[in-house]
Each structure stands twice: as C-alpha cells, then as structure tokens.
Amino acid sequence: MGQPAPHFPTQTPDDLKRKLHSLPASPTTSSSSITDRLARAHHNTREILKSAAQMTDAYFLYTPSQIWLAAFMIADKPLAEFYLETKLGGPQQQQQGSPLYELRTKLLRTLTDCSHLLQAYKPLASDPDQKKNLRRIRKKLTHCQNPDKAGVAGQKRIPAAAAAVAAAGDPATSESEMERLAKKRKLDGGQPNDIFGGELVTQRTKEAQQPQ
C-alpha cells in the first residue's frame, strides 16, 4: 500500500487495506472484488478525461490534477475520498482551524465544482439538438468552402424546375416559364453566381462610368 503520508506517520499498510475493503460499494460496478473496482474506476476516469474534460472549459478553470481528481470522484466517489483521506486525513482526524482542515475543505469545494462542470457535458450521440445544429453548421461550411459546386447545383435545378412546370400540363405557362429561366441564364452569363457578390473594384468602375 506504499508509505504513509508525512502528516500521518501512524498509518500502516494493514490499516489502509482494511479501510479500503470496508468502503461503501460503488454504484458503477456490482463486483465485490477490489481489483475489479479499481480497474473500473480507472477506466471510467480515463473516459471522462478523454471526453468531458476535453470538450468543456475545465482546462481553462482548473489545474490538471484537480480535473483528474474530479473525474475520479465522478467515477467512484468513495474511492476518491479514501485516496484524499490518506493524503490529507478525514474529518474525524482534523480540527476546524487547522491548515489541513482548511486545505481539505477548499479542495473538496473545488473538486465538487469541477465535477459538476464535467457532468454537465452531454455527448453528441445523446443530444439530438446538438447533432441537428452541427449538421446545419457543416452544411453552411461546405457551401462556403465550395461556392462553385453550390452554383453548379443551382444551375442544375433550373432545368429541373422548367421540366416540372412543363409536366404540369399548361403549355402557355410552361413556355413562358422556360423563356424566363433561359433569359435568366443568359443574363447570368452561364456562370455560377458569386455568393459573396462581384468584384468591388469592378462595381466602383461601373458606378463611376454611369452619368450623373
């Protein structure tokens, strides 16, 4: 079990082992084996550090050691509190006003706040609203990164719209609609529209050439 903490030289490996085996059961595992419990706590802590800790503001607000201890508390709170007691002592071993008592109180408050932040993270798979919003953002990003493809897609839709009108069965309407679409393509010059507008210098030149 290692060496005792410097503030508690009376700790012995047998005492620590006995306290470890007498901890309340963890809600995350049903196994009574302490080895399985430690392995499960280690795995869950790693998963939190790889997901919630990376996707929240945790690293802007807390130190790495505070983050992993908070993740450890989420994974197995009794086990994490036992670890802290081996280093700082438990409430029954301290008196109010002592340095260790104040340190332990402040640390537990910080770890609790950090654990709340980590638990507030929702994976994308469990949040349909976030997935929908990300799809919308991805669609806009693709449109901005590939404006030429967006213009080509728009041109392809024009003949399709004309064909749909023609299939409606009204010859007069279909012919006029097709003429309008053809005229629009001619005015566009057969080139995809610039979604960000034309050249600024060209526009200023045209404005300067217009009679006042």
Side-chain angles (χ1 to χ4, degrees):
M1 297 296 293
Q3 297 296 323
H7 303 295
F8 306 102
T10 58
Q11 287 179 343
T12 64
D14 291 336
D15 291 337
L16 295 177
K17 184 182 296 185
R18 184 169 55 255
K19 291 179 181 179
L20 180 61
H21 284 277
S22 63
L23 290 176
S26 171
T28 59
T29 179
S30 58
S31 175
S32 59
S33 171
I34 190 63
T35 303
D36 293 342
R37 181 173 182 174
L38 291 172
R40 175 61 62 180
H42 174 263
H43 171 76
N44 291 343
T45 302
R46 279 175 54 88
E47 292 301 314
I48 295 172
L49 294 176
K50 290 191 298 183
S51 57
Q54 302 290 336
M55 301 301 293
T56 62
D57 293 338
Y59 279 103
F60 294 101
L61 303 173
Y62 304 98
T63 65
S65 58
Q66 291 171 346
I67 294 172
W68 82 258
L69 280 172
F72 188 18
M73 290 188 69
I74 296 174
D76 194 327
K77 187 174 182 179
L79 198 58
E81 290 178 343
F82 167 77
Y83 172 78
L84 292 176
E85 287 183 8
T86 62
K87 304 301 180 183
L88 301 176
Q92 68 279 5
Q93 297 173 304
Q94 300 172 358
Q95 294 181 353
Q96 189 171 359
S98 66
L100 284 180
Y101 177 86
E102 295 178 358
L103 177 61
R104 185 178 186 276
T105 303
K106 183 178 180 180
L107 178 60
L108 287 177
R109 187 186 307 115
T110 301
L111 296 182
T112 300
D113 293 340
C114 183
S115 64
H116 289 165
L117 175 63
L118 297 177
Q119 288 176 310
Y121 169 71
K122 294 182 179 180
L124 294 179
S126 63
D127 193 341
D129 292 336
Q130 271 193 337
K131 292 177 66 176
K132 183 178 179 180
N133 193 35
L134 283 178
R135 283 196 296 267
R136 179 181 60 82
I137 295 174
R138 187 182 299 113
K139 185 177 180 180
K140 286 188 175 183
L141 179 61
T142 303
H143 186 79
C144 292
Q145 290 177 335
N146 304 280
D148 295 337
K149 291 184 179 180
V152 171
Q155 283 188 335
K156 289 181 179 179
R157 285 195 295 269
I158 292 177
V165 172
D170 189 347
T173 304
S174 62
E175 289 179 3
S176 62
E177 183 67 18
M178 292 179 67
E179 290 177 0
R180 186 185 68 80
L181 294 174
K183 184 177 181 181
K184 184 177 185 302
R185 289 198 302 273
K186 185 176 180 180
L187 292 175
D188 291 341
Q191 299 295 329
N193 294 329
D194 189 350
I195 62 174
F196 298 107
E199 292 290 340
L200 187 59
V201 176
T202 304
Q203 292 180 0
R204 289 179 177 175
T205 303
K206 290 181 179 179
E207 292 175 358
Q209 292 176 352
Q210 292 178 356
Q212 299 295 331

